[in-house]
Amino acid sequence: MDQTQWKLIYETYQRSLFLYALSLTKNVPDAEDLIQETFLKAFLSYKETGSLKAWLITVLKNEFLNLCRKRQKEILDNGECFSQQQAASEELLQKIIHQEERRTLLYAIMELPLLSKEILMESIYFHIADSEIAAMHHLTQENVRQIRSRAKKKILKRLEGTL
């Protein structure tokens, strides 16, 4: 593979691998080190056989276990290492996941037709009553409820596809 392909591979998998590494290490510096080691090993030794994504995950997990052994930390049955920064890192991980969920929701809303988007935003985010929304868009209240319901269903369907 050439340098352009590796750049694309990095851009494609870096974020999800970072989240996985952070969930294992429970701290950002170790997660970043794991990502760096994983991609370095991939660049130096990957043979184009099998799934690259599965291979990257396997390398990352093995690098994590090597890190645990190197630091002579106790490995729990579930493969976690103890860390002094565990609580702060778990909070960071939750924040990143929450931001990713909000971003996914925003993209789902952005894909809605204009009228559906407007009604949904006016109703949920601005707390405007259905009667006012209906008057603003020259619709009946039933149409407003129907459009909002369909918009929510489209969003839920889109979100189910990302889980």
Side-chain angles (χ1 to χ4, degrees):
M1 287 189 209
D2 66 13
Q3 190 174 7
T4 305
Q5 289 173 311
W6 280 111
K7 183 179 179 186
L8 180 62
I9 289 167
Y10 179 83
E11 290 170 354
T12 302
Y13 297 115
Q14 184 274 336
R15 181 144 179 91
S16 57
L17 285 173
F18 175 75
L19 290 174
Y20 179 49
L22 187 59
S23 74
L24 294 172
T25 63
K26 300 196 176 15
N27 71 71
V28 173
D30 286 344
E32 289 172 343
D33 288 346
L34 283 178
I35 294 300
Q36 184 178 12
E37 288 296 317
T38 298
F39 280 104
L40 178 62
K41 285 196 175 187
F43 182 74
L44 294 174
S45 64
Y46 178 68
K47 307 288 185 244
E48 294 186 43
T49 58
S51 167
L52 174 64
K53 185 177 183 179
W55 188 77
L56 287 169
I57 291 167
T58 301
V59 170
L60 190 135
K61 184 177 175 183
N62 289 338
E63 286 301 310
F64 168 69
L65 294 174
N66 290 339
L67 178 67
C68 289
R69 285 186 206 105
K70 179 180 174 186
R71 295 195 178 162
Q72 298 176 348
K73 290 183 178 182
E74 181 179 327
I75 299 177
L76 299 175
D77 291 340
N78 64 0
E80 290 182 339
C81 286
F82 286 114
S83 173
Q84 296 174 345
Q85 301 170 344
Q86 184 172 355
S89 295
E90 285 179 10
E91 184 178 311
L92 176 61
L93 179 61
Q94 289 302 318
K95 184 177 178 180
I96 290 170
I97 290 169
H98 180 70
Q99 288 172 342
E100 194 65 32
E101 289 170 346
R102 288 180 60 112
R103 184 176 299 119
T104 302
L105 177 60
L106 175 62
Y107 290 148
I109 291 171
M110 289 170 53
E111 291 178 357
L112 291 173
L114 181 61
L115 182 60
S116 298
K117 189 182 329 184
E118 288 175 345
I119 289 174
L120 191 65
M121 299 299 284
E122 291 162 357
S123 158
I124 294 174
Y125 289 103
F126 297 109
H127 307 288
I128 299 174
D130 288 352
S131 58
E132 290 180 69
I133 295 171
M136 289 167 51
H137 295 282
H138 308 290
L139 300 168
T140 66
Q141 287 186 46
E142 179 57 34
N143 282 42
V144 168
R145 286 190 289 273
Q146 204 172 45
I147 291 168
R148 184 178 51 239
S149 175
R150 288 178 183 157
K152 286 180 181 180
K153 286 177 185 176
K154 284 181 183 179
I155 288 172
L156 287 174
K157 187 175 181 179
R158 168 80 155 67
L159 294 177
E160 285 172 359
T162 62
L163 298 177

